[in-house]
Amino acid sequence: MGTRTVMIKQIIPALLATVLLTSCMTLKPLSSSVTSRTINNTTSSATTAVTAPTTAAVPKTTEKQVKFLDDISISAASSQAKEETAKATANDAVPRVSVVRPEGSDVFHSNYSSSGKASALQIKYAALLNTTPELLVENNSTLNLLEHVDEWYGTRYRMGGTTKSGIDCSAFVQTIYLSAFGVAIPRTAAEQFRVAKIISATELKEGDLVFFNTTGGVSHVGLYLANNKFVHASSSEGVKVSDLFENYYLRRYLGAGRIEKSQAKN
């Protein structure tokens, strides 16, 4: 009995030791598995936390946002329609300017020749003066002046000339005054300026004189007609109608003068 007790006492510690060892071996894989899962979960969470903002920041690209030239087709009809629309818009934006033909035109003849009221002379100078033939028909004094002017229209310029082979500006004005008004005036532009009564440009009427400084002092003269137009012997183009508001003449304009028909040559 004593011997059995001693043996049991010796076996019990050994069994306890075996149980403990077995428990430790069972717990280690479990702990390792738990630790691995914890690490995996932590790593997965961290990865999600890092990549999530990047994924959210990238905009989604749809087919509507990206177009390539190969994908765009233009029909001839639509292209032509767009061009016509663009031209119409441009035409509306640009102010329209009416153009008249200075030597008379078929349009003027078709409008007025059939009525018998407008002559070729009236049609021609209506275009040059930017007016209508009817207005010229109503003014006989204007027609008389234009008839004398037209006899010289187109005559070439010649310094010192007094004939239809060549004439200068002051000789042309002197000749028209004598033939149209029966008034003799001085020969040179400076002398004509001296005898004329100075008037404002707003008072100008047909037959008045307009003076210019082209080569120093009063060096050019013309005969006023209407609508800021005057006739003169141009050194480059001969006897012609010009506009007072052309840059060349506007910069050189000196003033206007009037010679009464009753005045005699001084």
Side-chain angles (χ1 to χ4, degrees):
M1 186 72 179
T3 302
R4 289 182 181 178
T5 301
V6 173
M7 290 179 64
I8 291 172
K9 288 181 179 181
Q10 291 178 352
I11 291 172
I12 288 173
L15 290 173
L16 290 175
T18 301
V19 172
L20 289 174
L21 288 175
T22 303
S23 299
C24 290
M25 292 178 65
T26 304
L27 291 174
K28 283 182 180 180
L30 179 61
S31 177
S32 176
S33 176
V34 172
T35 304
S36 176
R37 290 180 183 178
T38 303
I39 293 173
N40 290 337
N41 291 337
T42 304
T43 304
S44 176
S45 300
T47 304
T48 303
V50 172
T51 58
T54 305
T55 304
V58 177
K60 293 183 179 180
T61 304
T62 63
E63 293 182 358
K64 291 183 179 180
Q65 293 176 329
V66 180
K67 291 184 178 180
F68 298 95
L69 293 178
D70 294 339
D71 297 332
I72 301 175
S73 61
I74 301 176
S75 64
S78 62
S79 178
Q80 184 178 359
K82 289 181 179 179
E83 290 181 2
E84 292 177 354
T85 302
K87 288 180 181 179
T89 303
N91 290 336
D92 292 340
V94 178
R96 299 177 182 271
V97 179
S98 58
V99 180
V100 295
R101 297 173 63 178
E103 297 299 332
S105 66
D106 295 336
V107 175
F108 279 129
H109 283 290
S110 64
N111 288 341
Y112 300 104
S113 294
S114 60
S115 67
K117 294 182 179 180
S119 66
L121 178 73
Q122 294 159 359
I123 293 169
K124 173 181 177 179
Y125 284 92
L128 288 169
L129 302 179
N130 196 26
T131 184
T132 61
E134 290 92 340
L135 293 179
L136 296 180
V137 170
E138 294 171 0
N139 195 331
N140 291 328
S141 63
T142 299
L143 289 178
N144 178 62
L145 175 60
L146 292 179
E147 286 175 356
H148 291 278
V149 167
D150 198 55
E151 291 180 8
W152 293 87
Y153 198 88
T155 301
R156 73 183 185 90
Y157 178 90
R158 184 168 68 84
M159 183 67 178
T162 59
T163 68
K164 290 186 178 179
S165 62
I167 194 169
D168 64 21
C169 63
S170 57
F172 170 70
V173 169
Q174 182 189 47
T175 299
I176 297 300
Y177 254 78
L178 186 60
S179 63
F181 304 134
V183 176
I185 61 175
R187 169 68 178 80
T188 67
E191 290 171 338
Q192 292 169 6
F193 181 79
R194 181 174 58 83
V195 301
K197 176 186 176 182
I198 303 303
I199 61 173
S200 167
T202 59
E203 301 177 273
L204 278 168
K205 64 181 183 179
E206 65 180 51
D208 288 336
L209 304 182
V210 285
F211 299 96
F212 306 89
N213 177 4
T214 55
T215 59
V218 181
S219 51
H220 189 64
V221 62
L223 190 68
Y224 185 80
L225 296 176
N227 291 338
N228 301 314
K229 312 291 185 183
F230 67 102
V231 62
H232 63 127
S234 164
S235 59
S236 59
E237 300 180 61
V239 177
K240 61 170 294 188
V241 171
S242 297
D243 195 303
L244 286 172
F245 287 95
E246 293 177 25
N247 287 334
Y248 179 84
Y249 298 108
L250 188 61
R251 292 197 305 267
R252 293 166 174 79
Y253 178 78
L254 289 178
R258 180 171 297 160
I259 296 179
E260 300 298 336
K261 294 180 180 180
S262 59
Q263 284 185 241
K265 179 179 177 181
N266 291 329

